[in-house]
Amino acid sequence: MTFIPDQIDMCIMDILQEDARTTNKEIASRLGKSVTSIFERVKRLEAEGYILRYIAVLNKHKLGKNLVAYTSVTLKEHGHDRLLSFEQKINSFPEVMECYKMNGQFDYLLKVLVADMEAYEVFNLTKLSRLDNIYKIRSLFVLSETKHEVELNLKTNWQAKLVPKNK
């Protein structure tokens, strides 16, 4: 039988997205449930793959990562082994924050995060363009960011039934 999260599960996930350090006790209090039931629900959401991991969202600018580039990559050959090889190599580069296999004008779209244009040039010349199956690389550089979300929107009308978080 397939597990489908109910409204309580959705609310738990929403609370944890907002602050992954929220304790089971705090969640239970906000939802009017027992700590044990919240603990069991969280464990099930983890086991079923709805909650993948818990992270801290860092300020990239304070850490000197000021340039975001969206880089499209077109490959010469598209056999399964060639695609897999490219993905394995790209996934090993710490500068690549996201990698998507695409359809259309190019094969992959990369989100690359580096300190500055000089660092991007080094990344491009010493890593990306040296991969053996590269046909074409094109990059777009972010001038400013007007929205950046890491939370999935799970809010529905049942959200209003929550006990407000103590601030």
Side-chain angles (χ1 to χ4, degrees):
M1 191 165 118
T2 304
F3 171 73
I4 299 173
D6 64 13
Q7 290 183 345
I8 301 296
D9 295 322
M10 297 294 278
C11 197
I12 291 168
M13 289 187 287
D14 202 42
I15 291 168
L16 289 172
Q17 279 191 123
E18 183 181 308
D19 182 357
R21 296 180 303 170
T22 306
T23 66
N24 289 333
K25 183 178 179 181
E26 291 170 323
I27 296 169
S29 174
R30 289 182 65 188
L31 298 179
K33 301 293 181 188
S34 74
V35 175
T36 302
S37 72
I38 297 300
F39 174 81
E40 290 170 355
R41 284 175 175 270
V42 169
K43 288 301 172 199
R44 181 149 191 203
L45 289 166
E46 292 169 351
E48 294 288 338
Y50 286 89
I51 297 175
L52 299 176
R53 62 186 173 146
Y54 298 89
I55 63 168
V57 178
L58 305 178
N59 183 327
K60 64 182 175 269
H61 298 291
K62 287 190 176 274
L63 295 167
K65 304 294 186 183
N66 296 307
L67 183 68
V68 177
Y70 285 92
T71 302
S72 66
V73 177
T74 304
L75 302 178
K76 294 176 194 171
E77 300 174 26
H78 298 88
H80 177 73
D81 291 344
R82 301 295 275 163
L83 296 174
L84 193 57
S85 174
F86 173 81
E87 290 172 10
Q88 289 171 341
K89 289 173 186 169
I90 280 298
N91 290 341
S92 74
F93 297 155
E95 299 89 347
V96 177
M97 301 301 294
E98 299 171 25
C99 176
Y100 302 96
K101 187 185 299 181
M102 307 293 288
N103 69 338
Q105 295 181 333
F106 48 87
D107 300 313
Y108 288 90
L109 180 64
L110 312 176
K111 180 180 178 182
V112 179
L113 182 61
V114 291
D116 52 28
M117 189 62 75
E118 183 179 337
Y120 182 81
E121 183 179 22
V122 169
F123 165 75
N124 193 10
L125 293 176
T126 65
K127 292 182 178 179
L128 186 57
S129 64
R130 289 194 177 191
L131 297 178
D132 63 350
N133 192 24
I134 299 292
Y135 173 68
K136 188 187 305 181
I137 299 169
R138 293 199 175 173
S139 298
L140 299 169
F141 300 98
V142 174
L143 299 176
S144 65
E145 185 177 278
T146 59
K147 182 176 182 178
H148 178 90
E149 288 294 329
V150 295
E151 298 176 25
L152 297 177
N153 183 0
L154 303 178
K155 292 175 177 43
T156 60
N157 58 0
W158 51 266
Q159 190 75 20
K161 299 175 186 175
L162 288 176
V163 176
K165 180 180 177 183
N166 294 331
K167 299 231 177 188

